[in-house]
Amino acid sequence: MTEPKLTKVDMEKIVSLCRRRGFIFPSSEIYGGLSSCWDYGPLGVELKRNIKESWWRAMVQERDDMVGLDSSILMHPQVWEASGHLKGFSDPLVECKQCHRRWRSDEMKDSSCPSCGGGLTESRMFNLMFKTFMGPVEEEADIVYLRPETAQGIFVNFENALNTSRKRLPFGIAQIGKAFRNEITTGNFIFRSREFEQMEMEYFVKPGTDGEWFDYWVKERLNWYANLGIKKENLRLHQHAKDELAHYAVKCYDIDYLFPMGWAELEGIANRGNFDLIQHANSSGKNMDYFDEETKEHFSPLIIEPSAGVDRSALAFLCDAYDEEPDKDEIRVVLRLHPSLAPIKAAILPLSRKETLAPLSKQIYADLRQCWMVGYDDAQSIGRRYRRQDEIGTPFCVTIDFQSLEDEQVTIRERDTMRQIRVPIKELQSTLASKLSGEDLFILPLGGKIWKEG
Amino acid sequence: MTEPKLTKVDMEKIVSLCRRRGFIFPSSEIYGGLSSCWDYGPLGVELKRNIKESWWRAMVQERDDMVGLDSSILMHPQVWEASGHLKGFSDPLVECKQCHRRWRSDEMKDSSCPSCGGGLTESRMFNLMFKTFMGPVEEEADIVYLRPETAQGIFVNFENALNTSRKRLPFGIAQIGKAFRNEITTGNFIFRSREFEQMEMEYFVKPGTDGEWFDYWVKERLNWYANLGIKKENLRLHQHAKDELAHYAVKCYDIDYLFPMGWAELEGIANRGNFDLIQHANSSGKNMDYFDEETKEHFSPLIIEPSAGVDRSALAFLCDAYDEEPDKDEIRVVLRLHPSLAPIKAAILPLSRKETLAPLSKQIYADLRQCWMVGYDDAQSIGRRYRRQDEIGTPFCVTIDFQSLEDEQVTIRERDTMRQIRVPIKELQSTLASKLSGEDLFILPLGGKIWKEG
């Protein structure tokens, strides 16, 4: 007996699934797309919201040593002078003399154009910050930049956040927001794009404690991905060698994920030392020291930074969740997303489109929407509808049949195991709540592929 | 007996409270600020998150006729040509010949500079879109714009959202995101800034039904503000006269709020007709018609757009919640924010800093953080701590005293009435949950100023 052939997840499948089911579309697609910008569709926006919410919950809400921030994308240009971005945030650029395509010279293997074979210009440094003009005239004096990272918004607000929240060291400031980099080469779907979203946290500690806090945050951040279902064998730590370190960094680890194109950075965790606060103190002339009330000392805190990407996380969660398995003589495609990340938590499926089932089904649909994002599907066979929900990662389907009208019970069908249980309608909400929170593992496989793995 | 004098809310008080308590700071403040950009601090970011979450819940999660979207800020330049922004999104600009300040000439009363009295240049049109260059060389061909509204991201994705979600008319696409306008004059705190956040929804309907849907959405949106506690006397509808209507609009109402500086637009609700889809269909050459399976007709849907601002809403909620009342011989400042908008839902206050109370207090703090954003304060007298929580709108304080160690009960103190009840610790979470959801009004005033008003 030959099983249907299962292929490994590849990028093409992910891109195609995302496009077809409304996770991610090319930006401005009707105009041919805009290079390396992406729009999140009805399902993608929910996945992204869930990722950001999980991060905020773990990093801010559940902790007593953290506050949030939402600083603006446009910042004072002096910020980028002090941070070193104006001078140093550049890549070496060459242009083909023949076809005028542009390339990063540090990524080229030989001296002719990879596209047409033409000769290349001399390499020159190209600053990756998008610039624009604030105020009604385009003058040198009015140049501002789209932030290339959210971190600087945190550093310049260190005193504001400290004083208004009355926190003491060690404490952190967490932020989620858009950043922009005018990359010379982009690609790998949403992995590297010119507009992207970051989840960054800066953790301020006393000198001498930075080593242990660095280790703490590496572990904490690895666990975050694992707890949300990323398989441990697809995660690795990569320590930057001395010559890989950014100018501000004392030590840096990347959390790499095994993407379809290979291992690549998912998140960077850096010990930034006291570089940032000192730069901004010097540049602004403001005192940014911390006063320790116990020891009566003034000093500049050291900073540990876990910096994650929302879009990269989304791609990793999608790739990791993607699965194909033989099901009779077909292949079942299933996104084994952690329930807290799944765009739709449950789908209401009346067994038939007959009008007798509609009122009860619609009522259940309306009731459950008060709690979660819930779907409704009454088109085609129940088997096809299960497949549609499997493919977008919906953890539970709720089937309403003619028997439901008699016994006031419905069937819950579980995505990963395809097992079914029958529950009274009046217990449906609480049953789903406990299953979604992972408390009730009754119908989940032991040692299976789902969310208790981490 | 003379009561302490109560003054009306004014902008200065709001700005000062926001700055002092960590709601809103000037952007890049250590560098003197960046004109008309603002950073949301630890409390402000939570307020903003709650506003956006309330909108998303009401507009997307709870409805069966809506999907979400998150399109990119950078879009194909042809989008802005088709939408009319490249040509028409301009304000008339004059410059003072003496001091070189720039002004909007349509807002000037006479022909000399309001700042120095100098003469003014001829008026010329100034486009309000921020422009930047995508890709590594600044060439005309690479100009892209920061979107001045999120709406166009919805229009260009109409077919993508429709086909992947398999919705039928009438249905809507909702989006929250940043937009940028290079305003000539800005001001009134976060009311008009160059970088801001929108909550926009485009509702697609059959021709002939747009009138009733327009009325539906005006009512729906008014209720949203009222249900979140905005006093009805501070809201009004303003219908645009023919000469006020934007070129695309068939009909438009503003929902105005009585801000400290006077009535001003909080949200616009427009009947955009079929302008947008037809423009993009013509410009892209793509068919953007809707096919009605019942009538077998192809047509271009009409669009009703409720367009709200996150920052303006935040300002309105803050101003409306701000209250001063006499309390003995002092004045109590209290932010009567709706519980679902309050940045901190409950504050844990051990009556004394003595070590005996700390373990229990910290345990309660840790337990409640699993559910909500919760604060902790053990500094200074209990009266001052209540005041600090009142001022930031925390609906409930939980006081742990020495008796708590004996009887395992704590005191819940309610912000608006200052009434107190004693509850068993094991019922604390469920009691707070029902009070926060407005189900249990036991200690809330009847006909009071709080959230059942709407």
Side-chain angles (χ1 to χ4, degrees):
Chain A
M1 203 175 113
T2 1
E3 287 193 352
K5 203 183 161 202
L6 298 179
T7 21
K8 250 190 77 179
V9 53
D10 61 39
M11 196 66 103
E12 211 176 307
K13 282 186 186 174
I14 298 291
V15 174
S16 151
L17 173 65
C18 285
R19 172 71 191 75
R20 189 174 73 251
R21 297 306 309 273
F23 280 92
I24 299 160
F25 311 122
S27 166
S28 312
E29 192 179 17
I30 60 170
Y31 293 108
L34 182 67
S35 160
S36 149
C37 287
W38 302 92
D39 292 349
Y40 288 77
L43 295 179
V45 64
E46 300 298 340
L47 172 63
K48 218 167 100 162
R49 279 166 52 80
N50 293 339
I51 291 171
K52 292 191 275 184
E53 196 51 41
S54 294
W55 189 87
W56 196 265
R57 188 185 165 88
M59 299 297 273
V60 183
Q61 183 192 316
E62 292 184 356
R63 302 186 63 99
D64 64 354
D65 57 351
M66 198 75 68
V67 295
L69 183 79
D70 184 10
S71 66
S72 61
I73 289 171
L74 302 173
M75 297 177 75
H76 196 290
Q78 217 177 324
V79 171
W80 308 113
E81 205 177 300
S83 70
H85 282 83
L86 259 182
K87 228 181 191 171
F89 193 60
S90 310
D91 279 339
L93 168 77
V94 289
E95 187 172 327
C96 172
K97 291 174 188 165
Q98 206 162 298
C99 74
H100 300 288
R101 287 236 168 91
R102 292 153 201 150
W103 309 93
R104 265 180 71 168
S105 54
D106 58 338
E107 287 180 347
M108 313 266 308
K109 291 204 182 78
D110 47 48
S111 57
S112 61
C113 174
S115 173
C116 77
L120 300 172
T121 61
E122 284 289 291
S123 172
R124 64 183 177 88
M125 293 312 283
F126 170 72
N127 194 296
L128 300 184
M129 288 198 292
F130 280 96
K131 86 178 180 197
T132 184
F133 303 91
M134 177 169 276
V137 177
E138 290 175 22
E139 283 169 2
E140 211 51 32
D142 302 317
I143 291 179
V144 292
Y145 300 90
L146 307 192
R147 65 178 175 200
E149 61 177 33
T150 65
Q152 300 299 326
I154 296 179
F155 301 136
V156 300
N157 276 301
F158 169 67
E159 293 282 329
N160 280 342
L162 177 69
N163 296 334
T164 59
S165 69
R166 307 189 309 155
K167 293 279 181 202
R168 307 265 170 84
L169 293 194
F171 87 103
I173 305 177
Q175 170 162 252
I176 299 177
K178 286 274 174 94
F180 299 81
R181 293 181 188 178
N182 208 352
E183 303 279 357
I184 297 170
T185 48
T186 58
N188 287 319
F189 195 29
I190 53 174
F191 180 79
R192 188 185 305 281
S193 51
R194 294 195 173 113
E195 174 179 338
F196 57 103
E197 201 159 4
Q198 293 186 305
M199 306 184 283
E200 293 197 307
M201 191 279 286
E202 308 296 329
Y203 200 73
F204 303 89
V205 306
K206 288 186 196 183
T209 66
D210 51 321
E212 61 189 286
W213 279 115
F214 182 86
D215 295 344
Y216 169 86
W217 280 110
V218 169
K219 204 174 149 196
E220 198 71 8
R221 295 302 304 148
L222 264 174
N223 282 342
W224 185 77
Y225 293 102
N227 289 339
L228 286 172
I230 298 267
K231 298 176 196 76
K232 282 180 179 163
E233 64 267 29
N234 291 338
L235 291 170
R236 75 170 188 197
L237 285 175
H238 161 71
Q239 181 172 9
H240 285 213
K242 284 269 174 246
D243 61 351
E244 282 179 287
L245 282 177
H247 61 285
Y248 54 75
V250 177
K251 190 176 181 182
C252 186
Y253 275 12
D254 287 345
I255 298 179
D256 286 350
Y257 176 75
L258 186 53
F259 288 98
M261 71 280 187
W263 290 101
E265 183 194 343
L266 191 54
E267 169 158 353
I269 295 147
N271 180 342
R272 300 180 69 117
N274 59 13
F275 176 82
D276 307 282
L277 291 183
I278 288 193
Q279 286 292 109
H280 286 299
N282 290 343
S283 182
S284 69
K286 299 278 189 299
N287 181 7
M288 293 178 81
D289 276 357
Y290 177 80
F291 176 65
D292 189 320
E293 290 189 14
E294 278 174 39
T295 63
K296 306 292 173 199
E297 285 175 313
H298 294 264
F299 58 84
S300 188
L302 305 184
I303 298 178
I304 311 300
E305 172 193 82
S307 169
V310 178
D311 312 86
R312 283 181 187 194
S313 296
L315 184 58
F317 287 121
L318 284 167
C319 292
D320 216 73
Y322 186 90
D323 200 8
E324 297 177 354
E325 61 177 28
D327 179 44
K328 292 168 200 149
D329 50 355
E330 289 188 345
I331 287 174
R332 180 171 90 113
V333 173
V334 50
L335 268 191
R336 300 187 190 278
L337 285 171
H338 188 287
S340 66
L341 299 182
I344 308 289
K345 306 303 182 198
I348 312 303
L349 314 178
L351 191 67
S352 125
R353 238 177 181 169
K354 287 222 174 74
E355 274 175 26
T356 42
L357 291 184
L360 178 62
S361 305
K362 294 256 157 111
Q363 185 56 50
I364 291 173
Y365 180 37
D367 289 346
L368 291 184
R369 278 204 313 272
Q370 298 297 311
C371 308
W372 305 288
M373 286 296 302
V374 177
Y376 189 94
D377 189 359
D378 62 4
Q380 299 175 311
S381 78
I382 191 76
R384 289 190 72 157
R385 285 184 270 162
Y386 284 150
R387 289 293 175 282
R388 279 205 287 269
Q389 296 301 327
D390 289 342
E391 200 185 40
I392 62 171
T394 306
F396 302 103
C397 290
V398 176
T399 311
I400 290 98
D401 54 29
F402 295 99
Q403 185 67 22
S404 305
L405 300 172
E406 312 276 316
D407 66 3
E408 295 184 349
Q409 299 201 343
V410 291
T411 302
I412 300 180
R413 181 259 194 189
E414 203 269 332
R415 174 195 71 197
D416 293 284
T417 59
M418 298 190 276
R419 272 192 266 181
Q420 306 193 354
I421 53 166
R422 190 99 180 147
V423 296
I425 293 170
K426 65 178 190 315
E427 288 167 24
L428 177 59
Q429 183 182 315
S430 60
T431 305
L432 286 175
S434 75
K435 288 188 188 307
L436 285 165
S437 71
E439 277 165 24
D440 173 9
L441 298 177
F442 177 66
I443 61 162
L444 302 177
L446 298 170
K449 288 174 183 174
I450 46 171
W451 59 89
K452 277 290 163 184
E453 192 181 34
Chain B
M1 202 176 113
T2 5
E3 287 192 352
K5 203 184 159 202
L6 298 180
T7 21
K8 250 191 77 180
V9 54
D10 61 38
M11 195 66 100
E12 213 176 307
K13 281 185 186 175
I14 298 291
V15 174
S16 151
L17 173 66
C18 285
R19 173 71 191 74
R20 188 173 75 250
R21 297 305 309 276
F23 279 92
I24 299 161
F25 312 120
S27 166
S28 313
E29 192 179 17
I30 61 169
Y31 292 108
L34 182 66
S35 160
S36 150
C37 287
W38 302 92
D39 292 350
Y40 287 77
L43 296 179
V45 65
E46 299 298 340
L47 172 63
K48 219 166 102 163
R49 279 167 51 80
N50 293 339
I51 291 171
K52 290 191 276 185
E53 196 52 41
S54 294
W55 189 87
W56 196 264
R57 189 185 163 86
M59 299 296 273
V60 183
Q61 184 192 316
E62 292 184 356
R63 301 186 63 99
D64 63 355
D65 58 351
M66 197 74 69
V67 296
L69 183 78
D70 184 9
S71 66
S72 61
I73 290 171
L74 302 173
M75 298 178 73
H76 196 289
Q78 216 177 325
V79 171
W80 309 113
E81 205 178 298
S83 70
H85 282 83
L86 259 182
K87 228 181 191 169
F89 193 60
S90 311
D91 279 339
L93 168 77
V94 289
E95 186 172 328
C96 172
K97 290 174 189 166
Q98 207 161 295
C99 75
H100 300 289
R101 288 237 167 89
R102 292 152 203 152
W103 308 92
R104 264 180 72 167
S105 56
D106 57 339
E107 288 179 345
M108 314 265 309
K109 290 203 181 75
D110 47 47
S111 57
S112 60
C113 174
S115 173
C116 76
L120 300 173
T121 60
E122 284 290 293
S123 172
R124 64 182 178 85
M125 292 312 283
F126 170 72
N127 194 297
L128 300 184
M129 287 198 293
F130 280 95
K131 87 178 180 196
T132 186
F133 302 92
M134 178 168 275
V137 176
E138 290 174 22
E139 282 169 4
E140 211 50 32
D142 301 318
I143 292 179
V144 292
Y145 301 89
L146 307 193
R147 65 179 174 198
E149 60 176 34
T150 64
Q152 300 299 327
I154 296 179
F155 301 137
V156 300
N157 276 301
F158 169 68
E159 292 283 329
N160 280 342
L162 177 70
N163 296 335
T164 59
S165 70
R166 308 189 307 155
K167 293 280 180 201
R168 307 267 169 84
L169 294 194
F171 87 103
I173 306 176
Q175 170 161 251
I176 298 177
K178 285 275 174 92
F180 299 81
R181 294 180 187 179
N182 207 352
E183 302 280 355
I184 297 170
T185 48
T186 58
N188 288 318
F189 195 31
I190 53 172
F191 180 79
R192 189 185 305 280
S193 51
R194 293 196 172 112
E195 174 179 340
F196 57 102
E197 200 159 4
Q198 293 187 305
M199 305 184 284
E200 294 197 307
M201 191 278 286
E202 309 295 330
Y203 201 73
F204 303 88
V205 306
K206 287 185 195 182
T209 66
D210 50 322
E212 61 189 286
W213 280 114
F214 182 86
D215 295 344
Y216 169 87
W217 279 111
V218 169
K219 202 171 149 198
E220 198 71 8
R221 295 302 305 146
L222 262 175
N223 283 341
W224 185 77
Y225 293 102
N227 289 338
L228 287 172
I230 297 268
K231 298 176 195 76
K232 281 179 179 164
E233 64 267 28
N234 291 338
L235 291 171
R236 74 170 189 197
L237 284 174
H238 161 71
Q239 181 172 8
H240 285 213
K242 285 266 173 249
D243 60 352
E244 284 178 288
L245 282 177
H247 62 284
Y248 53 76
V250 177
K251 190 176 181 182
C252 187
Y253 275 12
D254 286 344
I255 298 179
D256 286 349
Y257 177 75
L258 186 54
F259 287 98
M261 70 281 188
W263 289 102
E265 184 194 341
L266 190 55
E267 169 158 353
I269 296 147
N271 181 342
R272 300 180 69 116
N274 59 13
F275 177 82
D276 307 282
L277 291 183
I278 288 193
Q279 286 292 109
H280 285 299
N282 289 342
S283 183
S284 69
K286 299 280 189 298
N287 182 6
M288 294 180 79
D289 276 357
Y290 177 80
F291 176 66
D292 189 320
E293 290 189 14
E294 278 173 40
T295 63
K296 307 291 172 199
E297 285 174 313
H298 294 265
F299 58 84
S300 187
L302 306 184
I303 299 178
I304 311 299
E305 172 194 79
S307 168
V310 179
D311 312 86
R312 285 183 183 192
S313 296
L315 184 58
F317 286 121
L318 285 167
C319 292
D320 216 74
Y322 186 91
D323 201 8
E324 298 177 353
E325 60 177 27
D327 180 43
K328 294 171 198 144
D329 50 356
E330 290 188 344
I331 286 174
R332 179 171 91 112
V333 173
V334 51
L335 268 192
R336 299 187 190 279
L337 286 170
H338 188 288
S340 67
L341 299 183
I344 307 289
K345 306 304 183 197
I348 312 303
L349 314 178
L351 192 65
S352 127
R353 239 179 181 168
K354 287 222 174 75
E355 274 176 26
T356 42
L357 291 184
L360 178 62
S361 305
K362 296 256 157 112
Q363 186 56 52
I364 291 174
Y365 179 38
D367 289 346
L368 291 184
R369 279 205 312 272
Q370 298 297 312
C371 308
W372 305 288
M373 286 296 302
V374 177
Y376 189 94
D377 190 359
D378 62 3
Q380 300 176 310
S381 78
I382 191 76
R384 290 191 69 161
R385 284 184 271 161
Y386 284 150
R387 288 293 175 282
R388 279 204 287 268
Q389 296 300 328
D390 289 342
E391 201 185 39
I392 63 170
T394 306
F396 301 104
C397 290
V398 177
T399 311
I400 290 98
D401 54 29
F402 295 101
Q403 186 66 24
S404 305
L405 300 172
E406 312 277 317
D407 66 2
E408 295 184 348
Q409 299 202 343
V410 292
T411 302
I412 299 179
R413 181 258 195 190
E414 202 268 332
R415 175 194 71 198
D416 292 283
T417 58
M418 298 190 278
R419 272 191 267 180
Q420 307 193 353
I421 53 166
R422 190 97 181 148
V423 296
I425 293 171
K426 64 180 192 312
E427 288 167 24
L428 177 60
Q429 183 181 317
S430 60
T431 306
L432 286 176
S434 76
K435 286 189 187 309
L436 285 165
S437 71
E439 278 165 24
D440 172 10
L441 298 177
F442 177 66
I443 62 162
L444 301 176
L446 297 170
K449 289 175 182 172
I450 46 172
W451 60 89
K452 277 289 162 183
E453 192 182 36

